[in-house]
């Protein structure tokens, strides 16, 4: 079965696009006007047809009827964003319409999201995902204090989900969350739960690690939503504001019943062993082990997430970046993290 079927009225143009779709192996280009035999059923379909004439529309419909199975995602690339073209694309039953000018990165992001939503979700993970969303909407609300009891409940939820199903399914579940901060929070907590298991931590220590991960970005509740949810890269000024979230989170929680090791993770999860991190420029032994663990999960989670300005990074490439941060991250812990990265 082909991973990706690209239906094209200009195979040479589409071949250039296919070279940039490295996330999807086994792609096949089907020439819309060559009357060649229909390909086998794919997992994903993209039509890259520049001129959606009545003939092209008829041919596209015939191909889709022959090869598109039930629930197979189909993206229609639009070279002309006019109303007539969009109406034609809607008639084809596209799962998503995307401007061809958006580029390969946007297409990869769209296809990845469609695959995640189309894939069946285990009933248990569906339930955990819904519970996680309810927990986040109730707990991580700007202007509201977070209590130790609430975080304890959220920690048990994440730990149970990862243990009962698996980390891969948990990641799939939380990737469906619309709120980027909530998605990242639960992703890092799940990665930490899996990492604690790989390290063979005792149940109490593993629980503490997940709790720290769940809290690590709590300071983002105090960041201006216009910066937090900006659909693009932050400029230098906006990045300076974003970097205050670590100290803000610490200030939110100190004196509210959270122990010092958890507070250290909230404040210091962006510190680097070579002293290049923030907010305090800690280095070496000044960075506790719990912080080092969460930092690795935090960076890996950020790399494999969807972002408005880039597609999610393949897990192997994300792990290679961790390896390349030798001197800034704990090398032994990065090596131990490999089975978690490989779990996808």
């Amino acid at each position: 079965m082909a991973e990706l079927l690209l239906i094209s009225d200009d195979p040479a143009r589409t071949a250039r696009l296919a070279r940039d779709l490295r996330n999807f192996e086994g792609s096949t280009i089907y020439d819309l006007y060559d009357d060649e035999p229909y390909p086998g059923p794919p997992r994903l379909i993209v039509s890259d047809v520049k001129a959606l004439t009545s003939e092209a529309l008829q041919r596209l419909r015939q191909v889709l009827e022959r090869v598109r199975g039930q629930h197979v995602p189909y993206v229609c690339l639009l070279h002309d964003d006019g109303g007539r073209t969009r109406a034609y694309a809607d008639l084809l039953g596209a799962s998503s319409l995307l401007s061809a000018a958006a580029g390969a990165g946007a297409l990869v992001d769209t296809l990845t999201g469609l695959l995640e939503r189309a894939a069946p979700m285990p009933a248990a993970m569906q339930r955990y995902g819904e519970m996680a969303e309810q927990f986040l909407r109730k707990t991580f609300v700007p202007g509201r204090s977070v209590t130790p009891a609430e975080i304890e409940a959220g920690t048990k939820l994440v730990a149970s989900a990862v243990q009962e199903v698996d980390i891969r399914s948990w990641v799939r579940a939380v990737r469906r969350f619309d709120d980027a901060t909530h998605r990242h929070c639960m992703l890092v907590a799940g990665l930490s739960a899996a990492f604690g298991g790989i390290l063979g931590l005792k149940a109490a220590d593993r629980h503490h690690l997940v709790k720290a991960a769940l809290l690590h970005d709590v300071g983002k509740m105090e960041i201006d939503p216009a910066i937090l949810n900006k659909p693009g890269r932050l400029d230098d000024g906006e990045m300076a504001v974003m970097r205050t979230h670590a100290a803000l989170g610490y200030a939110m929680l100190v004196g509210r019943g959270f122990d010092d090791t958890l507070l250290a993770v909230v404040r210091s999860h962006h510190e680097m062993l070579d002293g290049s991190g923030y907010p305090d420029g800690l280095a070496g032994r000044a960075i506790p082990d719990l912080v080092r663990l969460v930092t690795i999960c935090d960076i890996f989670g950020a790399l494999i997430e969807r972002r408005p300005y880039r597609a999610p990074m393949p897990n192997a490439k994300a792990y290679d970046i961790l390896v390349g941060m030798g001197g800034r991250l704990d090398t032994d812990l990065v090596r131990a993290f490999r089975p978690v990265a490989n779990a996808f």
Side-chain angles (χ1 to χ4, degrees), residues 213-224:
L214 196 58
L215 280 169
H216 82 286
D217 264 350
V218 68
K220 287 184 178 178
M221 292 166 54
E222 300 298 316
I223 300 296
D224 183 347

Side-chain angles (χ1 to χ4, degrees), residues 138-154:
K138 176 184 175 183
T139 307
F140 290 103
V141 179
R144 182 182 180 279
S145 297
V146 177
T147 69
E150 289 171 332
I151 296 302
E152 180 69 20

Side-chain angles (χ1 to χ4, degrees), residues 162 190-203 205-210 288-297 319 330-341:
V162 174
L191 291 170
S192 296
F195 197 13
I198 291 295
L199 292 172
L201 299 182
K202 296 178 181 179
D205 294 333
R206 193 162 60 246
H207 185 85
H208 201 64
L209 171 60
V210 176
D289 289 343
L290 191 65
V291 174
R292 300 181 187 203
L293 292 168
V294 174
T295 297
I296 289 170
C297 296
Y319 181 74
D330 189 307
T331 303
D332 291 336
L333 290 179
V334 169
R335 190 179 300 115
F337 187 77
R338 181 186 287 274
V340 180

Side-chain angles (χ1 to χ4, degrees), residues 215-218 243-251 253 260-271 278-280 282 291:
L215 280 169
H216 82 286
D217 264 350
V218 68
R243 286 189 169 194
T244 64
H245 78 273
L248 286 172
Y250 176 85
L253 300 183
D260 290 343
T261 58
L262 296 179
L263 294 173
V265 169
V266 173
R267 184 176 182 90
S268 303
H269 62 280
H270 286 288
E271 301 287 2
Y278 65 89
D280 302 308
L282 302 181
V291 174

Side-chain angles (χ1 to χ4, degrees), residues 43-44 70-73 111-123 126 168-169 172-173 176:
R43 293 183 63 210
L44 294 161
Q70 190 176 18
H71 306 307
V72 173
L111 291 172
T112 301
L114 288 171
L115 264 184
E116 290 170 352
R117 289 191 289 274
M121 181 69 66
Q126 182 74 30
R168 182 175 183 175
S169 295
R172 279 186 50 218
R176 302 184 184 203

Side-chain angles (χ1 to χ4, degrees), residues 84-249:
R84 181 180 178 184
T85 303
R86 283 186 167 270
Y88 279 177
D90 285 334
L91 286 173
L92 294 168
S95 309
S96 180
L97 308 180
L98 182 68
S99 171
L107 178 56
V108 169
D109 195 13
T110 298
L111 291 172
T112 301
L114 288 171
L115 264 184
E116 290 170 352
R117 289 191 289 274
M121 181 69 66
M125 190 52 70
Q126 182 74 30
R127 183 178 73 254
Y128 279 122
E130 292 170 356
M131 292 168 62
E133 285 195 278
Q134 293 172 6
F135 163 77
L136 290 165
R137 283 196 296 267
K138 176 184 175 183
T139 307
F140 290 103
V141 179
R144 182 182 180 279
S145 297
V146 177
T147 69
E150 289 171 332
I151 296 302
E152 180 69 20
T155 301
K156 290 178 179 177
L157 168 63
V158 176
S160 297
V162 174
Q163 183 174 3
E164 183 175 338
V165 190
D166 56 39
I167 182 58
R168 182 175 183 175
S169 295
W170 176 253
V171 170
R172 279 186 50 218
V174 301
R175 274 177 168 168
R176 302 184 184 203
F177 294 179
D178 291 328
D179 185 281
T181 303
H182 287 174
R183 183 170 62 236
H184 180 69
C185 166
M186 284 299 188
L187 175 57
V188 175
L191 291 170
S192 296
F195 197 13
I198 291 295
L199 292 172
L201 299 182
K202 296 178 181 179
D205 294 333
R206 193 162 60 246
H207 185 85
H208 201 64
L209 171 60
V210 176
K211 185 183 297 186
L214 196 58
L215 280 169
H216 82 286
D217 264 350
V218 68
K220 287 184 178 178
M221 292 166 54
E222 300 298 316
I223 300 296
D224 183 347
I227 294 176
L228 197 60
N229 302 315
K230 182 181 178 181
R233 293 185 181 276
L234 303 180
D235 61 30
D236 290 345
E238 293 164 338
M239 182 59 73
V241 173
M242 181 67 83
R243 286 189 169 194
T244 64
H245 78 273
L248 286 172

